[in-house]
Amino acid sequence: MLFGMQAHDGPLTRLRKSHEQSVLDLLRKHGPLSRAELSTHCGLSRTTLYDIVAGLVDGGAVVTSTPRAEVRRRGRPVEKLSLNPDAGVAIGIDFARRAIHVSAVNVAHEVIGSASEAHAPGLTWPQRADIAERLLGSLGGPPRAAGPTDRAPRRCTLGLGLLSAIGVGVVGPVVDADGADPAARGRGTDGLSALLRERFGVPVLLDNNTRLAALAETVYGAAADSGDVLYLRLSHGVGGGLVMGGRLHRGTQGMSGEFGHITVDPEGVPCECGGTGCLETVASLDAVLHRYRSAGGRADGISAFLAAAASGDGRALTVLERAGTDIGTVLAAVCNAVGPGVIVIGGELAQAGPALFEPVERALRTRVMPMVSHRVRVRPATLGDAGSALGGIALVLRESPLLSRYPQPVTEEHA
């Protein structure tokens, strides 16, 4: 929780936090309200409500105001209560394979901004943290001019205020401390949480970035109207996330959503996971570009490939047809197992639009159980590069019902 942080977590403290959250939720939903209006909405006694409001005002989470003189009615002006947008910000960072995305949201849930920057492979965590800090600094105000001897990264100027943590997405499984695979840890996130805690001065919540994107699309984006969602990201890697029964599913040791490592071609090429013919070997950006170039196409990157497809290049469209069919085949298998109502597809390859989505849907309709095939809706992701970072923010705020019973993700003590 962002507000009312106390040293003990007994029944009375939890009850007070619940009352605080009710008041904050009402102000977020309805905007400025008087104490009388709050009382009508929340059902708390006058004494309890006034005590809760006083604590939130003293803590800086809520501010008071009175109408301007020209709009007041006769009599004593009624004081209004509203969320204080300057009380602090929630920060989300997505460390993708070859890019970094950041977002910031104030306590009124207004997006302050998002920023992204691509980078070469092989950067160290301190180098990537420098980029994240600079991007966040750009959201807090105009960049400081750097002199010829000024090599230090621009410090983040966003005020964390009463924030309890920052949410961070990383590539690959994020396993719990008691079940960590030493090999995975060696190639993963060792030291990242501690590094970011040192930079920002708050704990770090670490989770898989595609799972965070699934959370974001279900809270803020394309699947906000559904409680059963399958999210698939088609980027340099292929992964996803599941929302089942209105709850984000993390799985044993954080292994949910590894759709990229479902086999689609047993005779295919080896995958970095140790398997053969995984979806990632045919539907990742590198795999798609390799197939296009092998067919005689020319493209120095995914943007050029997408432009070729948009112009009607037959080789590019054939590649997308095959990738879409493989993707739809995997999605159908997962649908038959978990029964989502909405499938959201994101990542750079999703920008191909109908050339990709149409073969995906054809394969899906052919292979999913007929009694439900007409009920599964396929949608493009709407949050773009900011998706995982916004999911990190949702993870920190932990206000969504999607996170009820969701285990606390890895913190710096476990990284």
Side-chain angles (χ1 to χ4, degrees), residues 29-55:
K29 179 179 180 180
H30 297 286
L33 296 172
S34 68
R35 286 173 175 80
E37 291 168 334
L38 269 175
S39 180
T40 300
H41 285 294
C42 70
L44 296 175
S45 69
R46 175 186 172 94
T47 300
T48 299
L49 175 64
Y50 277 47
D51 178 56
I52 294 297
V53 167

Side-chain angles (χ1 to χ4, degrees), residues 53-102:
V53 167
L56 291 173
V57 171
D58 289 344
V62 171
V63 293
T64 61
S65 61
T66 55
R68 300 190 307 273
E70 62 268 23
V71 298
R72 291 179 188 169
R73 297 180 179 179
R74 291 183 179 182
R76 184 177 179 179
V78 176
E79 191 173 65
K80 293 283 188 175
L81 302 164
S82 60
L83 294 176
N84 177 9
D86 297 324
V89 297
I91 288 175
I93 304 173
D94 172 22
F95 290 105
R97 292 188 187 225
R98 301 179 190 176
I100 295 168
H101 314 290
V102 303

Side-chain angles (χ1 to χ4, degrees), residues 153-397:
R154 184 183 188 274
R155 306 298 293 182
C156 176
T157 59
L158 294 171
L160 290 173
L162 301 175
L163 187 66
S164 59
I166 62 174
V168 177
V170 293
V171 174
V174 176
V175 298
D176 298 331
D178 58 357
D181 171 8
R185 177 166 288 189
R187 66 175 183 267
T189 60
D190 265 359
L192 175 60
S193 291
L195 172 65
L196 294 175
R197 164 132 195 176
E198 181 181 352
R199 297 286 183 101
F200 297 102
V202 294
V204 173
L205 300 182
L206 203 66
D207 212 330
N208 173 266
N209 60 355
T210 51
R211 192 158 49 237
L212 292 182
L215 172 62
E217 290 290 348
T218 312
V219 173
Y220 309 115
D225 60 344
S226 179
D228 295 285
V229 180
L230 189 164
Y231 172 80
L232 181 72
R233 174 188 275 173
L234 304 168
S235 185
H236 295 285
V238 175
L242 282 173
V243 173
M244 299 189 299
R247 294 185 178 92
L248 183 65
H249 182 62
R250 189 164 185 262
T252 301
Q253 304 301 335
M255 290 298 294
S256 173
E258 292 295 325
F259 308 132
H261 300 294
I262 296 175
T263 300
V264 292
D265 181 6
E267 304 301 321
V269 300
C271 179
E272 65 176 16
C273 74
T276 300
C278 297
L279 181 62
E280 188 165 299
T281 68
V282 297
S284 67
L285 300 186
D286 288 344
V288 166
L289 286 172
H290 175 74
R291 184 174 290 170
Y292 177 60
R293 291 164 181 162
S294 297
R298 291 187 175 183
D300 58 3
I302 193 62
S303 296
F305 170 78
L306 293 174
S311 69
D313 184 323
R315 287 167 294 198
L317 294 176
T318 298
V319 168
L320 289 172
E321 175 76 25
R322 180 172 174 184
T325 300
D326 288 337
I327 292 164
T329 299
V330 167
L331 291 177
V334 179
C335 283
N336 288 333
V338 302
V342 174
I343 296 173
V344 178
I345 302 178
E348 295 93 324
L349 194 61
Q351 296 172 23
L356 177 73
F357 278 76
E358 288 176 3
V360 167
E361 295 202 54
R362 282 196 297 272
L364 181 66
R365 305 302 174 202
T366 300
R367 292 171 172 81
V368 79
M369 294 181 67
M371 67 182 69
V372 297
S373 63
H374 65 288
R375 297 186 179 182
V376 180
R377 292 154 289 168
V378 180
R379 300 171 180 170
T382 60
L383 300 177
D385 291 342
S388 295
L390 289 171
I393 289 172
L395 189 68
V396 169
L397 298 179

Side-chain angles (χ1 to χ4, degrees), residues 13-32:
T13 298
R14 290 195 294 270
L15 180 61
R16 183 179 182 87
K17 288 181 179 180
S18 175
H19 291 334
E20 288 177 345
Q21 194 58 59
S22 295
V23 170
L24 294 171
D25 286 344
L26 287 169
L27 293 175
R28 186 173 295 115
K29 179 179 180 180
H30 297 286

